[in-house]
Amino acid sequence: MFGLLAALVFTACSDWKEVEPVTLNEADITKQNPELYAAYLESVRNYKQSDHKVMISWFNNSNKVPLSRAHHISVLPDSIDIVSLSHPANLAQYELDEMEEARREKGTKFVYDMDFEAIKLMYETMVADMEEKRGEEPPQIPTFVNFLVDTVNQILPLTKEYNYDGIILGYKGKNTLYMTEAEKQLYTAYEKAFIGIAEDWFGRNSDKIILFEGYPQNLLNKSILEKSRYIIIPSSDAGNSSKLTYNIMLANVEGVPSDRYIVSVEATSLDKNDVKTGYWTDGVTRSVTGASRWVISHHTGYTVAGMGIKNVNNDYFNIARIYPYTCDAIAKMNPSPKK
């Protein structure tokens, strides 16, 4: 047995050759049938210019050294209308290239969030750190309004620096009904600084778009809403279709345009132990799927223009195909015409 094994090994070794590179012919429609692919891209661009239910996605681009296709903008479903990048500054060259290609060939628009609550949290964290590290001399802490103005003036120029198509203006606000006069004056100053600067910026950058995300019913001055292409109502808390309707009804007050509502929901978590994020309260229906069905249902007194998916990257990972629930949601909202 040993001798036979040795003979086989030596025989096999004598047939070994040097490793040579092999050219693989991968299926690629852009090379196999460029005319057909060009026609497809034209249909995608025409689709996005047509009257349809819009899909917005929030894409986590924090990884600047892509380790998988999931980190690439280019693999997002072609029919997504607007993509918001979570880290809008310091874009890598491959991100800029993929953004430009998607914009040019597929008509995709790219934006980023400028959120009031996020800026306020940054300020509170900064103040806490300064107070913790202070010595005998009290720290020179700027007022929140000054910090807010400086931060907004740093965020808005990113649209030109990285050629974004616009911004998502995030502002939830509060109900002023039970505020004291002093609280209301402070609240008014915050809103005027945040919304006012954005509105002034839009007046000087009419080639860009604004999307409002938050609770429009809490705005003291609602003029920014008329300038907003869509009004996004955060609905990650929605556990069923009735809650989606309720969220819209709260927002649908006087002064709020009723013809451009979008509901935003969460994709499911990559944590297998998290059985709540991205699901309705029945524990079975995915928020993305349920919301897409609700979007095309009958609505009275307002128009639902589409939906949005937070953390859309999580939908990439699927054995059968990438972004399956995102694609299904788009198909449900915009079914192909039957012959």
Side-chain angles (χ1 to χ4, degrees):
M1 292 289 290
F2 178 78
L4 179 61
L5 178 62
L8 290 172
V9 169
F10 285 121
T11 301
C13 288
S14 66
D15 294 334
W16 285 354
K17 296 181 179 180
E18 292 295 325
V19 176
E20 296 180 359
V22 177
T23 301
L24 298 177
N25 294 320
E26 298 181 0
D28 186 350
I29 191 174
T30 63
K31 296 177 181 178
Q32 293 176 344
N33 197 329
E35 294 81 8
L36 180 62
Y37 186 61
Y40 163 74
L41 290 176
E42 184 179 7
S43 68
V44 171
R45 294 192 297 270
N46 290 339
Y47 159 78
K48 292 182 181 179
Q49 292 295 323
S50 68
D51 184 15
H52 67 286
K53 297 297 184 183
V54 174
M55 174 61 79
I56 302 173
S57 68
W58 281 259
F59 185 85
N60 185 346
N61 66 317
S62 58
N63 193 322
K64 300 303 177 182
V65 181
L67 302 176
S68 76
R69 295 298 294 163
H71 297 139
H72 285 271
I73 297 167
S74 60
V75 299
L76 282 166
D78 297 343
S79 297
I80 291 178
D81 296 272
I82 301 173
V83 177
S84 178
L85 299 185
S86 62
H87 292 71
N90 303 316
L91 296 181
Q93 188 58 50
Y94 84 90
E95 293 179 290
L96 293 169
D97 294 341
E98 291 181 6
M99 284 171 61
E100 181 53 35
E101 181 181 6
R103 181 185 291 113
R104 181 183 66 252
E105 297 191 349
K106 303 171 186 176
T108 309
K109 295 188 182 299
F110 290 90
V111 298
Y112 59 90
D113 290 24
M114 186 173 77
D115 186 74
F116 177 86
E117 297 298 331
I119 295 173
K120 193 168 187 295
L121 179 61
M122 287 172 53
Y123 175 76
E124 292 170 350
T125 302
M126 180 195 72
V127 171
D129 290 343
M130 292 177 68
E131 290 180 341
E132 183 178 343
K133 295 175 182 178
R134 69 180 177 180
E136 296 181 359
E137 294 293 328
Q140 297 296 316
I141 300 176
T143 65
F144 175 62
V145 170
N146 289 339
F147 179 84
L148 179 65
V149 171
D150 290 344
T151 304
V152 168
N153 284 327
Q154 292 175 35
I155 294 174
L156 287 174
L158 295 177
T159 54
K160 288 190 175 180
E161 183 176 355
Y162 297 102
N163 195 27
Y164 284 99
D165 296 286
I167 62 169
I168 295 179
L169 191 64
Y171 186 80
K172 292 183 176 179
K174 297 178 180 179
N175 190 325
T176 61
L177 183 62
Y178 301 106
M179 288 185 181
T180 64
E181 192 58 35
E183 290 173 334
K184 191 171 182 177
Q185 287 181 1
L186 194 61
Y187 177 83
T188 302
Y190 292 168
E191 179 184 304
K192 186 175 181 180
F194 184 67
I195 302 296
I197 294 175
E199 200 163 9
D200 178 69
W201 167 84
F202 182 71
R204 292 179 284 104
N205 296 272
S206 57
D207 58 321
K208 304 297 182 181
I209 61 173
I210 283 184
L211 291 77
F212 178 88
E213 181 181 22
Y215 303 144
Q217 64 270 29
N218 290 336
L219 282 171
L220 299 176
N221 183 352
K222 296 179 173 58
S223 61
I224 189 67
L225 300 175
E226 290 291 348
K227 301 176 178 67
S228 301
R229 180 164 297 190
Y230 301 110
I231 299 173
I232 306 169
I233 307 301
S235 296
S236 296
D237 63 336
N240 51 52
S241 59
S242 297
K243 179 59 173 168
L244 290 174
T245 301
Y246 179 74
N247 288 347
I248 296 291
M249 294 300 292
L250 287 178
N252 196 37
V253 299
E254 184 179 356
V256 178
S258 61
D259 61 344
R260 62 196 74 173
Y261 288 119
I262 298 278
V263 291
S264 63
V265 296
E266 294 276 347
T268 54
S269 173
L270 294 179
D271 182 358
K272 294 182 179 180
N273 295 320
D274 185 354
V275 295
K276 293 184 177 180
T277 302
Y279 286 98
W280 279 5
T281 51
D282 61 12
V284 177
T285 305
R286 290 174 180 259
S287 300
V288 170
T289 302
S292 65
R293 292 171 179 160
W294 174 85
V295 166
I296 58 174
S297 63
H298 178 70
H299 305 287
T300 302
Y302 57 88
T303 300
V304 180
M307 65 174 288
I309 303 176
K310 302 280 186 174
N311 299 312
V312 72
N313 307 60
N314 293 353
D315 192 33
Y316 173 89
F317 300 96
N318 189 276
I319 296 175
R321 59 183 176 131
I322 64 172
Y323 293 108
Y325 295 100
T326 303
C327 292
D328 287 345
I330 295 172
K332 282 184 174 63
M333 293 192 300
N334 301 284
S336 299
K338 296 180 179 180
K339 295 183 179 180

